[in-house]
Amino acid sequence: MRTKHTQLLEWLKSASDDAVERTGTSRGYLKQIAYGNKQASAALAVSLERESAGTLNRRSLRPADWNLIWPELASAA
């Protein structure tokens, strides 16, 4: 089942081309993630969290395994 990431879609509407470029991928690929067709890599999830100033977070971009990738965040949750 695909999970639509509405927060990512909202961020993409207002994100500058420079902000998207700093994530290390294209706007088109980010739309694929937003519509649930692709999953953000761990590195991309961190980049998106940074570029969105925390509006997007790693946990929401990788809900199935974030606690395995970033166990230090599990204690903060």
Side-chain angles (χ1 to χ4, degrees):
M1 182 176 179
R2 294 183 202 176
T3 302
K4 192 173 183 180
H5 297 284
T6 55
Q7 286 180 318
L8 179 52
L9 285 170
E10 287 300 314
W11 180 76
L12 281 169
K13 288 179 186 177
S14 62
S16 69
D17 290 340
D18 288 339
V20 171
E21 188 175 321
R22 285 190 300 267
T23 67
T25 193
S26 67
R27 192 175 293 271
Y29 191 78
L30 291 174
K31 285 182 181 179
Q32 289 292 313
I33 295 168
Y35 284 108
N37 298 321
K38 302 284 184 183
Q39 183 179 36
S41 68
L44 182 55
V46 171
S47 293
L48 285 165
E49 185 176 67
R50 182 188 64 241
E51 290 305 319
S52 72
T55 301
L56 302 168
N57 64 60
R58 294 176 250 186
R59 292 181 198 123
S60 66
L61 292 164
R62 295 196 56 107
D65 63 355
W66 69 268
N67 58 330
L68 301 174
I69 300 168
W70 303 288
E72 68 278 7
L73 297 180
S75 61

